[in-house]
Amino acid sequence: MENFLSSISLVSRLATDDYVGFTFFVGCMAMMAASAFFFLSMNSFDKKWRTSILVSGLITFIAAVHYWYMRDYWAGFAESPTFFRYVDWVLTVPLMCVEFFLILKVAGAKKSLMWRLIFASVIMLVTGYFGEAVYRDSAAFWGLISGIAYFWIVYEIWFGEAKKLAEAAGGSVLKAHKTLCWFVLVGWAIYPLGYMAGTPGWYDGLGQIGLNMDVIYNIGDAVNKIGFGLVIYGLAVAQSSEK
C-alpha cells in the first residue's frame, strides 16, 4: 500500500508540459488494456491460435509492467530509464520474433527459424545497449552492429525462409505475415531514431531538431507491440471465419 501511495504521489508531481512523463503513463495504460483484451479473448479461438494470442498478451503485459517502473523512474529522477527499457526489450522483442514462427507453423515452419530470429534480435538489443549505456563514446560502432542484426531480421522475413513459408500458407496467414513485416521494417525503424537522438556521433544534428529519445521510444513501443498483437488477433478471427 505504501508503494502504491508513493506512485500516486509521483504522478501528481509531473508537470503539465511533461510530455515524456505523459507518454510513459499512456503507454503503460494502453499496453495493460491490450493485455487484458488479448488474455480475455484467448478462449474464443481454436487451440492452434491460442498460443499466438497468449504471446501477444505477454508482450504487452511485460511492457506495461516495465512502463510502470519507467514512469516512476522518470518522475523521480527526470532521467531516461535506459536499463529498464532494455530489460523490457530483451524480453518482448524475441517474443515478437516468436510470433512469426507461430503463425507460420501451419506451413511447416521449423524451430530453427524461430531460434535464428531470436538470436538476431538479442544481438541487436545487446549491442544497442552497449552503445547507448556502456560504451557511449563508440555508440556509432555498436549501433552499426545492432543495425546489421536488424537488417538480417528484415531480410529473413521479407525474402528468406519466412517469406517462402508465408507464401506457401497463403490466404490470411500471408496477409498477416506481410503486415508484421511492415511493422518490422517501418515501425521498428523508429528505434534507430531514438538511439541516435540519445547518443553522440556523426548524427548529433538529430538532437538539435527537437527529437526526444524517450518520446520516440514510447510511441514506437505502444504502436508496435499493440499493433503486432492486433495483427495476430485479426489472423485468428479470419481463420475462425474461414471454417
Coordinates of all heavy atoms in Angstrom, one line a residue, residues 66 70 73 80-89 129 133:
H66 N 6.9 -2.9 -17.1 CA 8.2 -2.1 -17.2 C 7.9 -0.6 -17.4 O 8.6 0.2 -16.8 CB 9.0 -2.6 -18.4 CG 9.8 -3.8 -18.1 ND1 9.3 -5.1 -18.3 CD2 11.0 -4.0 -17.5 CE1 10.2 -6.0 -17.9 NE2 11.2 -5.4 -17.4
M70 N 9.3 2.5 -15.4 CA 9.9 3.6 -16.1 C 9.3 4.9 -15.8 O 10.0 5.9 -15.7 CB 10.0 3.2 -17.6 CG 11.0 2.1 -17.9 SD 11.3 2.0 -19.7 CE 9.8 1.2 -20.3
Y73 N 10.4 6.0 -12.5 CA 11.8 6.4 -12.6 C 12.0 7.8 -13.2 O 12.7 8.7 -12.7 CB 12.6 5.4 -13.4 CG 14.1 5.6 -13.4 CD1 14.9 5.0 -12.5 CD2 14.7 6.5 -14.4 CE1 16.3 5.2 -12.5 CE2 16.1 6.7 -14.4 CZ 16.9 6.0 -13.5 OH 18.2 6.3 -13.5
S80 N 16.4 9.3 -18.4 CA 15.9 8.2 -19.3 C 16.2 6.9 -18.6 O 17.3 6.6 -18.2 CB 16.6 8.2 -20.6 OG 16.1 7.2 -21.4
P81 N 15.1 6.0 -18.4 CA 15.3 4.7 -17.8 C 15.9 3.7 -18.7 O 15.2 2.6 -19.0 CB 13.9 4.4 -17.3 CG 13.0 5.0 -18.4 CD 13.7 6.3 -18.8
T82 N 17.1 3.9 -19.2 CA 17.7 3.0 -20.2 C 17.7 1.6 -19.8 O 17.4 0.7 -20.6 CB 19.1 3.5 -20.6 OG1 19.0 4.9 -21.0 CG2 19.6 2.7 -21.7
F83 N 18.1 1.3 -18.6 CA 18.3 -0.1 -18.1 C 16.9 -0.8 -18.2 O 16.8 -1.9 -18.7 CB 18.9 -0.1 -16.7 CG 18.9 -1.5 -16.1 CD1 19.9 -2.4 -16.5 CD2 17.9 -1.9 -15.2 CE1 20.0 -3.6 -15.9 CE2 18.0 -3.2 -14.7 CZ 19.0 -4.0 -15.0
F84 N 15.9 -0.2 -17.6 CA 14.6 -0.8 -17.6 C 14.1 -1.0 -19.0 O 13.4 -2.0 -19.3 CB 13.6 0.0 -16.8 CG 13.8 0.0 -15.3 CD1 14.3 1.2 -14.7 CD2 13.6 -1.1 -14.5 CE1 14.5 1.2 -13.3 CE2 13.9 -1.1 -13.2 CZ 14.3 0.1 -12.6
R85 N 14.3 -0.1 -19.9 CA 13.8 -0.2 -21.2 C 14.5 -1.4 -21.9 O 13.8 -2.1 -22.6 CB 14.1 1.1 -22.0 CG 13.4 1.2 -23.3 CD 13.7 2.5 -24.1 NE 13.2 3.7 -23.4 CZ 12.0 4.0 -23.4 NH1 11.1 3.3 -24.0 NH2 11.6 5.2 -22.8
Y86 N 15.8 -1.6 -21.8 CA 16.4 -2.7 -22.4 C 16.0 -4.0 -21.8 O 16.0 -5.0 -22.5 CB 17.9 -2.5 -22.5 CG 18.4 -1.7 -23.7 CD1 18.4 -0.3 -23.6 CD2 18.6 -2.3 -24.9 CE1 18.8 0.5 -24.7 CE2 19.0 -1.5 -26.0 CZ 19.1 -0.1 -25.9 OH 19.5 0.6 -27.0
V87 N 15.8 -4.1 -20.5 CA 15.3 -5.3 -19.9 C 13.9 -5.6 -20.5 O 13.6 -6.8 -20.9 CB 15.1 -5.1 -18.4 CG1 14.4 -6.3 -17.8 CG2 16.5 -5.0 -17.7
D88 N 13.1 -4.6 -20.7 CA 11.8 -4.8 -21.4 C 12.0 -5.4 -22.8 O 11.4 -6.4 -23.2 CB 11.0 -3.5 -21.4 CG 9.8 -3.5 -22.4 OD1 9.2 -4.6 -22.5 OD2 9.5 -2.5 -23.0
W89 N 12.9 -4.7 -23.6 CA 13.1 -5.1 -25.0 C 13.7 -6.5 -25.1 O 13.3 -7.3 -26.0 CB 14.0 -4.1 -25.7 CG 13.3 -2.8 -26.0 CD1 12.0 -2.6 -26.0 CD2 14.0 -1.6 -26.4 NE1 11.7 -1.3 -26.3 CE2 12.9 -0.7 -26.6 CE3 15.3 -1.3 -26.5 CZ2 13.2 0.6 -26.9 CZ3 15.6 0.0 -26.9 CH2 14.5 1.0 -27.1
Y129 N 22.4 -1.8 -26.4 CA 22.5 -1.4 -25.0 C 24.0 -0.9 -24.8 O 24.2 0.1 -24.1 CB 22.2 -2.5 -24.1 CG 22.3 -2.2 -22.6 CD1 21.4 -1.3 -22.0 CD2 23.4 -2.7 -21.9 CE1 21.6 -1.0 -20.6 CE2 23.6 -2.3 -20.5 CZ 22.7 -1.5 -19.9 OH 22.8 -1.2 -18.6
A133 N 24.4 2.8 -23.4 CA 24.5 2.9 -21.9 C 25.9 2.6 -21.4 O 26.3 3.1 -20.4 CB 23.5 2.0 -21.2

